Amino acid sequence: MSMDKYIADNQMEEIRYKYGNKIVLFSKAQRTIKQWYKAFVLQYPPSSINNYRDSWFHYRKIWTERSYYEVTCQTANFDEHIQRAEKDAIVNFFQIMTEHIEFWYHVNKIEIPADMIDYITKDVEKIYKKSEILDKQGKFWIVELFNYYKSEREAVFSVIYAAQQYVLNSKEILRQLQLLLHNIKNITLNIRLGASDIDRIEYPGKYVDDCKKYYQELYDYFYTNDNGDLLTLLCITSVVKANWDCYIDEKNAEVKE
């Protein structure tokens, strides 16, 4: 049967070279993606690591098989895992960035308890004014504010209050965040829809090439134009959001009781 035919040596060499080169291309793409994660202090997703590992399993199989059917199966599985590795890493990155930016985009809707505002207002003002004296851009005062309190919850409330009063108090900033959100949501949706197609991407690194523009927009906005405060807020979103969600859950539980 044609599916069981023997593959000649020269053909096998071409197949091994082709798929070995795909590993090289993905490795380059992966280095780029990891730089994106590092820039925004995010954890690279295990699902991408696992899919990359599985692609190696199928690549090694290519070296031991000579049956046309088996080699076809192994190369197809390889392509699936290497594509998933890249897709998972990029979709995960933009998903987390979306969640973090959305949290701060809507931060002015958060109502901090009145007694907590009375408690933290003077501290926030003092640390902010101190930062203005020491550093006109005030890039690190959010970090100092967060570390000022022994209680993590107090620190979180103070950071939210500071964001409302001193960082996200401009319509222009909110407009820029909205534009960033629209762009990264669109590219994430496109990748997800495209990944459901039968056709494979043209080459490992294609998703990276398609998304470089959108990553660069994020990087340029948060790392330039004196947006150090916003970048700091973005990097501590997980801690802030987790504490706020916990506080809301506690309040909801009290109401039910």
Side-chain angles (χ1 to χ4, degrees), residues 23 36 45-46 48 53 59 62 71 76-77 79 82 127 152 155 164 174 178 192 202 210 219 250 252:
I23 289 176
W36 298 1
S48 177
R53 176 203 62 201
Y59 178 67
I62 295 172
V71 171
N77 287 326
D79 283 332
I82 208 79
I127 293 174
E152 188 171 85
Q164 293 172 337
L174 295 175
Q178 187 178 51
R192 280 180 157 177
E202 296 173 31
D210 290 344
Y219 184 90
E250 290 173 2
N252 290 336

Side-chain angles (χ1 to χ4, degrees), residues 69-104:
Y69 174 77
E70 286 298 330
V71 171
T72 300
C73 288
Q74 298 306 326
T75 53
N77 287 326
F78 173 95
D79 283 332
E80 180 178 356
H81 284 294
I82 208 79
Q83 181 166 327
R84 283 183 180 178
E86 186 176 351
K87 175 183 70 69
D88 287 358
I90 289 182
V91 168
N92 182 72
F93 173 79
F94 283 116
Q95 274 187 328
I96 295 175
M97 291 298 293
T98 297
E99 292 170 5
H100 288 190
I101 294 172
E102 280 188 330
F103 178 83
W104 296 111

Side-chain angles (χ1 to χ4, degrees), residues 7-119:
I7 300 180
D9 290 343
N10 63 328
Q11 291 176 308
M12 281 305 306
E13 285 299 315
E14 290 177 2
I15 293 171
R16 290 164 182 164
Y17 175 81
K18 176 182 177 181
Y19 284 86
N21 189 53
K22 287 188 176 186
I23 289 176
V24 173
L25 290 174
F26 175 77
S27 297
K28 292 178 180 178
Q30 187 184 55
R31 284 197 296 271
T32 297
I33 301 170
K34 284 185 175 180
Q35 289 173 356
W36 298 1
Y37 277 84
K38 184 178 179 181
F40 291 97
V41 197
L42 302 176
Q43 183 178 1
Y44 194 81
S47 62
S48 177
I49 296 171
N50 292 339
N51 272 299
Y52 182 43
R53 176 203 62 201
D54 291 344
S55 72
W56 270 97
F57 170 82
H58 296 291
Y59 178 67
R60 286 195 295 268
K61 283 281 189 179
I62 295 172
W63 284 80
T64 61
E65 299 291 347
R66 303 302 296 269
S67 159
Y68 179 86
Y69 174 77
E70 286 298 330
V71 171
T72 300
C73 288
Q74 298 306 326
T75 53
N77 287 326
F78 173 95
D79 283 332
E80 180 178 356
H81 284 294
I82 208 79
Q83 181 166 327
R84 283 183 180 178
E86 186 176 351
K87 175 183 70 69
D88 287 358
I90 289 182
V91 168
N92 182 72
F93 173 79
F94 283 116
Q95 274 187 328
I96 295 175
M97 291 298 293
T98 297
E99 292 170 5
H100 288 190
I101 294 172
E102 280 188 330
F103 178 83
W104 296 111
Y105 178 75
H106 295 294
V107 74
N108 290 309
K109 296 179 181 179
I110 292 178
E111 295 183 10
I112 301 174
D115 59 333
M116 184 60 70
I117 290 180
D118 293 338
Y119 177 70

